[in-house]
Amino acid sequence: MSRRTILLFSGIVMLALAGCQAPAEIDVPITIPPQQTTTIEPILPTPLPPDQTLIVCMQREPESLYIYSEAYLYGGTGREANNILQAIYDGPIDVLESGVEPVILQDLPSFASGTARFEPIEVGEFEVYLNPTTLVPENLRLGDPYLPSGCKSADCISKYEGGLVSMDRMIVEFSLREDVTWSDGEPLTASDSVFSYDLDRSEASPTTKYLVDRTQSYQALDEWTLEWVGIPGYSDLEFETIFWHPLPSHSYGDLDTDSLLEAEAVNLRPLGWGPFMIEDWIEGDRIEMVENPNYFRRDEGLPYFDRVIYRFLETDSRAALQQLLTQECDVLDETLISPEIWPNLREYHEEGRLALLQGYANEVLRLDFNTNPLGRPGEAYFQARETRLALAACIDRQALTDNANNPLSRVVSSFHPLGQDLDAGIRLPAFDPDQGRSQLQILGWVDDDEDPTTAYVGSGVPGVGNGKRLEPVLLVPEGEQYAGMAENIAGMLLECGVQADVTPVSVAELTAGYPQGVIFNRKFDMVLWSWPDWRFPLCEMFATREIPSALNVYGVNASGFSNQDYDQSCDRILLGDHEQAGLSVIAVQKMINEELPALPLLQFPRLVGTSDDLCGLSVDSVAAGVLWNIEAIARGQACQ
């Protein structure tokens, strides 16, 4: 899983706000109004399975467990499906906040070992390459830009004038462990990964084709070794993950792509190599799994449980919490933990009645400013950088996390908290409303009546007509979850002479593309919404090339922010400039914090409740599911 599945033009906002689940599992945090802690009366326990059974309770029943099905990729039960698949497939590569870990590979590819490398290749007219300006695969034509061999950034782009030119292509090799077998005892080989690649690139598979389109070849060199070759000009900073999730060619190979999408055995009982395999699926109730006798880590004493039962409760969080307290559930999955029970979870955890495990979701709640509104003369409130900085000084981000709306959340200092490096000087304006008011007045915002309940008036402010009051509209998604946060922000801004009009809008209206959408058509002032983060910053969201327009209707830069230095640093990330990647990651964060087209606010918790005698479960911000290491979960004496 990588950035290529995270940020796919305008679809990302729909994922972030509507809660749709893609395989990347963007677990969207929400903001809630104040809640009162309510004591939940325990109920008598029901008879339980033997102690060696782990019971995982989730919200819904998955629609499909086939990794290339539309239901899994884009349906509403992606998180539930991912947690079940962690038991069926171990890995094949674990992508975690701390880094990438091989599971069924002998090791990760690297430049040091020679298993990742660049080689020059001659490219002629009409051949496929990566256009370094558009960042999409194209056929090389006269006058097109290209990266000559040895060039890794936009600083050295050349223009194609015909004939053969030398470009670099990336080559990555993967070596499988030789002791991994499918649960039916057949060996898992390189051909199973190539089989999966062929399914992915099939037009019948509803996949994005992002990496497929940037792949020149993916082949088995021998039974255990695979080689990926990228198209000329393409480099990937996350090359360790360019490995197609194996599927059993010996079992599925006789079915075409369309048949696989419909086959019950593929969608409901997939064959895997992980610690468990499906024994029974009781529709609408549960999935029962048993230990895989051919699991390649059995010699390590894994897994600790003999059986796993996934129960689908289809209930509210409070009722689900009761079942955790009465031991009808060993694990209460994040799909059943809504903000309304956060206080209860914390209370019972402190009392020792359950264990509460916490990570942080890989999304950031942001306040975005329209720096360049269209069709609104005299209302460019946030065209001036100084205005944006002043508003940031007026918002107490720590108070937003400390109040009753957002227990267990944390303040962030960047739109990229997963890579946040405070030692590198990545800072936001400190909370200082006096400084904020002073900056606004220096810029030309005047307190004309000394009435704290009215907005300042513009006088000579860039982009704002004289006499125009500082009364921007703050758009938020409909629903109570954002209302409390937006009202708190509006109250803080009023102390600085900014009278924000909090206006809820539907998700459909908020995320509609150019030119219909109010956001992506830049017809807004401010918007409060969540955007994802990944191992490398999703810098595209502020790149000039991503400003929506008639020529780029799927652009994701809603703020209209444009900065040449920022674009150059972002391009180094997107073009896979491995030597400058670290510096570029820091540079894009600093520039956004200095220019503030968006103010990062909070990162919300990712929570799992368990019985107090379980151990081994680890909640990770980036992992596809909270049960990514289900084989390591143990109970009682095994925890010693």
Side-chain angles (χ1 to χ4, degrees):
M1 185 176 65
S2 69
R3 71 181 298 119
R4 65 183 68 94
T5 62
I6 301 290
L7 187 60
L8 295 171
F9 302 104
S10 60
I12 188 59
V13 184
M14 184 64 71
L15 287 169
L17 295 177
C20 299
Q21 299 302 327
E25 273 318 304
I26 302 171
D27 305 314
V28 182
I30 57 176
T31 306
I32 60 167
Q35 300 286 335
Q36 298 295 323
T37 301
T38 303
T39 300
I40 299 177
E41 295 297 329
I43 59 179
L44 294 176
T46 57
L48 298 175
D51 191 50
Q52 66 270 25
T53 299
L54 177 69
I55 305 175
V56 178
C57 292
M58 302 189 296
Q59 175 65 32
R60 295 163 294 184
E61 181 176 23
E63 301 168 68
S64 170
L65 297 178
Y66 177 43
I67 63 172
Y68 293 138
S69 72
E70 186 170 6
Y72 170 70
L73 291 169
Y74 313 113
T77 58
R79 282 187 293 178
E80 287 90 343
N82 265 329
N83 274 333
I84 293 170
L85 290 177
Q86 306 309 307
I88 297 173
Y89 307 118
D90 188 357
I93 297 171
D94 285 337
V95 182
L96 307 172
E97 184 173 358
S98 59
V100 181
E101 298 180 1
V103 178
I104 65 171
L105 299 178
Q106 294 182 27
D107 204 350
L108 293 175
S110 67
F111 288 106
S113 67
T115 49
R117 61 190 183 276
F118 291 98
E119 71 171 22
I121 184 174
E122 290 189 331
V123 183
E125 190 172 6
F126 303 123
E127 292 189 52
V128 176
Y129 82 115
L130 186 84
N131 185 318
T133 301
T134 63
L135 294 178
V136 297
E138 296 179 5
N139 296 103
L140 182 63
R141 300 177 186 274
L142 292 176
D144 280 350
Y146 74 95
L147 296 178
S149 180
C151 174
K152 304 299 180 188
S153 72
D155 300 337
C156 47
I157 288 177
S158 295
K159 181 180 292 187
Y160 178 63
E161 297 178 351
L164 295 177
V165 294
S166 181
M167 300 186 198
D168 287 336
R169 64 179 181 181
M170 193 176 196
I171 300 176
V172 185
E173 292 182 10
F174 301 90
S175 295
L176 287 165
R177 291 179 55 148
E178 299 181 16
D179 59 346
V180 181
T181 65
W182 296 97
S183 58
D184 62 1
E186 289 294 317
L188 189 155
T189 67
S191 62
D192 294 317
S193 184
V194 174
F195 174 66
S196 182
Y197 163 71
D198 289 336
L199 289 173
D200 187 7
R201 69 191 183 110
S202 168
E203 289 301 320
S205 293
T207 53
T208 67
K209 307 296 188 287
Y210 180 96
L211 184 56
V212 165
D213 291 342
R214 288 156 178 79
T215 297
Q216 190 170 83
S217 66
Y218 188 68
Q219 61 180 332
L221 300 182
D222 57 40
E223 194 171 7
W224 314 111
T225 310
L226 294 129
E227 179 189 73
W228 173 84
V229 180
I231 62 174
Y234 177 64
S235 175
D236 197 326
L237 291 179
E238 299 177 67
F239 62 88
E240 304 103 323
T241 66
I242 306 177
F243 174 81
W244 267 265
H245 184 296
L247 289 173
S249 56
H250 71 280
S251 180
Y252 298 173
D254 292 336
L255 299 175
D256 59 28
T257 307
D258 289 324
S259 298
L260 287 170
L261 291 169
E262 301 296 331
E264 180 175 332
V266 176
N267 286 270
L268 301 184
R269 293 177 181 268
L271 191 64
W273 63 82
F276 299 97
M277 55 188 188
I278 294 178
E279 181 183 55
D280 199 7
W281 187 324
I282 294 85
E283 185 176 353
D285 184 57
R286 66 189 185 276
I287 292 176
E288 297 182 357
M289 289 192 177
V290 295
E291 183 181 356
N292 172 12
N294 295 304
Y295 181 46
F296 67 101
R297 299 184 66 187
R298 289 195 78 192
D299 290 346
E300 302 173 40
L302 301 175
Y304 288 105
F305 285 95
D306 297 333
R307 300 175 60 85
V308 175
I309 297 176
Y310 291 92
R311 296 180 56 215
F312 316 122
L313 300 189
E314 297 284 354
T315 187
D316 60 54
S317 294
R318 293 191 178 280
L321 181 53
Q322 287 182 340
Q323 298 199 38
L324 179 62
L325 291 171
T326 57
Q327 301 177 24
E328 294 173 276
C329 303
D330 293 316
V331 176
L332 203 63
D333 177 64
E334 60 183 334
T335 58
L336 282 168
I337 297 180
S338 66
E340 66 178 357
I341 66 167
W342 288 357
N344 300 114
L345 283 170
R346 186 163 52 183
E347 174 188 344
Y348 295 143
H349 174 62
E350 292 171 352
E351 293 175 357
R353 298 176 64 184
L354 56 80
L356 176 62
L357 303 174
Q358 176 175 350
Y360 289 95
N362 61 333
E363 294 89 24
V364 174
L365 186 71
R366 286 189 346 217
L367 180 65
D368 282 21
F369 304 106
N370 189 348
T371 68
N372 186 19
L374 296 178
R376 301 180 61 191
E379 295 186 8
Y381 295 108
F382 306 113
Q383 175 181 311
R385 166 180 173 270
E386 292 79 6
T387 301
R388 305 193 296 267
L389 292 173
L391 264 64
C394 295
I395 296 176
D396 187 349
R397 293 176 298 125
Q398 186 60 56
L400 294 176
T401 66
D402 291 342
N403 64 31
N405 288 357
N406 304 286
L408 308 176
S409 304
R410 70 177 177 185
V411 172
V412 296
S413 298
S414 163
F415 76 96
H416 178 50
L418 293 183
Q420 187 168 297
D421 184 352
L422 299 182
D423 293 333
I426 299 171
R427 299 285 191 276
L428 286 170
F431 173 58
D432 188 344
D434 291 335
Q435 177 67 16
R437 285 187 289 267
S438 176
Q439 286 181 335
L440 287 173
Q441 291 166 2
I442 291 173
L443 187 63
W445 291 106
V446 179
D447 183 1
D448 65 333
D449 56 10
E450 297 185 356
D451 183 348
T453 65
T454 62
Y456 289 173
V457 177
S459 177
V461 179
V464 180
N466 289 336
K468 184 71 177 178
R469 290 200 175 272
L470 188 48
E471 298 175 333
V473 174
L474 171 55
L475 299 181
V476 296
E478 286 181 339
E480 294 182 355
Q481 59 264 40
Y482 276 87
M485 177 70 75
E487 292 296 342
N488 286 337
I489 291 173
M492 294 175 183
L493 292 179
L494 188 58
E495 296 293 321
C496 287
V498 183
Q499 194 163 14
D501 178 11
V502 177
T503 302
V505 296
S506 68
V507 169
E509 184 180 1
L510 201 66
T511 60
Y514 183 93
Q516 293 82 15
V518 63
I519 303 297
F520 292 107
N521 199 20
R522 302 208 305 281
K523 301 290 187 183
F524 73 102
D525 299 321
M526 300 184 291
V527 59
L528 183 69
W529 53 2
S530 295
W531 279 74
D533 190 20
W534 195 234
R535 294 175 55 228
F536 289 93
L538 300 173
C539 58
E540 302 96 311
M541 63 183 79
F542 300 114
T544 301
R545 68 162 56 86
E546 287 295 336
I547 296 176
S549 67
L551 299 177
N552 184 23
V553 295
Y554 297 112
V556 295
N557 182 355
S559 71
F561 174 72
S562 179
N563 182 289
Q564 184 177 359
D565 291 337
Y566 177 87
D567 290 340
Q568 289 176 349
S569 292
C570 183
D571 281 348
R572 290 190 179 95
I573 296 171
L574 301 179
L575 290 172
D577 187 350
H578 296 261
E579 293 182 359
Q580 298 295 320
L583 294 175
S584 298
V585 166
I586 294 173
V588 294
Q589 294 178 81
K590 282 186 174 180
M591 280 186 271
I592 292 302
N593 282 12
E594 291 168 356
E595 297 292 332
L596 275 190
L599 175 64
L601 297 172
L602 310 173
Q603 194 176 15
F604 288 83
R606 191 176 192 182
L607 302 173
V608 177
T610 74
S611 56
D612 61 3
D613 61 345
L614 286 187
C615 64
L617 192 150
S618 174
V619 179
D620 187 90
S621 296
V622 177
V626 294
L627 299 179
W628 65 273
N629 66 334
I630 189 171
E631 70 280 356
I633 300 175
R635 189 201 309 275
Q637 287 188 337
C639 294
Q640 302 303 317

